[in-house]
Amino acid sequence: MSIAEELQQELMRVRREAIELHSADQVQEAIAKLAFAVTEAYSGKVPVMLTVMNGGMIFAAELVKRLDIPLEMDYLHASRYLGETSGGDVEWIVTPNASLAGRDVLIVDDILDVGTTLLSIIDACKAQGAASVKTCVLVDKQHDRKAKPGLKADFTALDAADYYLFGMGMDYKGFWRNAPGIYAVKEH
């Protein structure tokens, strides 16, 4: 069996055995509610929405089409994972092009796990002179390993138990970001 065939078999097994934590409909409903809160919070402002790649892109696409405010969109790529299943140091791959000086910044990401990457991004935005920096995540993973005790995003769509998650932007070894719900990898 080739390496590609082995990988495909593993990926299909992971998807087939996964535990569905939030269905596609539940995810869409939670994003719609979250969009209302974000729209309300930024009423009268013109924020810069920074999507954290690659994980945040699917969530950001679903969120932004529901926001009834003028905003500028940009992205950045900072990661502790880089295709691995456990994190290391934060590595900056792409920085935003938009000027953040004096701007209200909304950082959009797929998950708040430990929070090291998100805290690093917040600090970078503040260092560039952002007037305000708020965070918006699809999922807050529930555990006691946060980078700072009590760390929470300003806007959170859903909570999830402390599993290895995939779907809606979150990946399993770089794959299954496209799964429409939020799934936990079944432990073997």
Side-chain angles (χ1 to χ4, degrees):
M1 185 180 307
S2 73
I3 293 173
E5 289 169 328
E6 285 180 26
L7 176 61
Q8 194 215 18
Q9 282 191 357
E10 175 190 356
L11 295 171
M12 296 310 292
R13 177 191 52 77
V14 165
R15 178 69 172 89
R16 185 176 53 255
E17 296 176 357
I19 302 159
E20 183 182 72
L21 301 179
H22 298 286
S23 70
D25 288 344
Q26 290 169 327
V27 169
Q28 293 303 319
E29 183 179 320
I31 293 171
K33 287 180 186 173
L34 185 74
F36 182 80
V38 172
T39 296
E40 200 170 74
Y42 285 97
S43 177
K45 298 179 180 181
V46 182
V48 177
M49 182 174 131
L50 293 181
T51 301
V52 181
M53 300 302 273
N54 285 323
M57 74 177 144
I58 292 173
F59 170 49
E62 293 297 320
L63 176 65
V64 74
K65 62 188 179 186
R66 293 172 170 89
L67 297 178
D68 193 18
I69 53 174
L71 56 80
E72 182 178 1
M73 294 178 67
D74 204 341
Y75 68 95
L76 60 93
H77 194 165
S79 179
R80 290 180 58 230
Y81 296 93
L82 297 174
E84 301 298 320
T85 55
S86 62
D89 294 333
V90 174
E91 192 167 324
W92 286 85
I93 300 155
V94 177
T95 56
N97 288 322
S99 171
L100 305 183
R103 300 291 302 276
D104 296 301
V105 176
L106 179 65
I107 301 165
V108 177
D109 203 359
D110 55 354
I111 188 168
L112 173 55
D113 189 349
V114 175
T116 305
T117 303
L118 202 54
L119 290 171
S120 176
I121 294 167
I122 292 166
D123 289 346
C125 292
K126 288 178 178 176
Q128 292 182 41
S132 72
V133 181
K134 292 195 182 297
T135 55
C136 181
V137 298
L138 176 61
V139 175
D140 185 349
K141 193 189 284 192
Q142 303 298 295
H143 57 67
D144 60 2
R145 299 183 312 277
K146 300 291 188 202
K148 288 179 14 183
L151 179 63
K152 292 280 184 199
D154 297 291
F155 304 96
T156 300
L158 297 162
D159 291 329
D162 189 16
Y163 293 104
Y164 189 97
L165 305 175
F166 69 90
M168 285 301 297
M170 295 172 283
D171 72 291
Y172 174 78
K173 297 184 179 180
F175 297 89
W176 287 126
R177 291 184 192 278
N178 55 310
I182 296 172
Y183 302 88
V185 174
K186 186 175 179 184
E187 303 285 327
H188 280 125

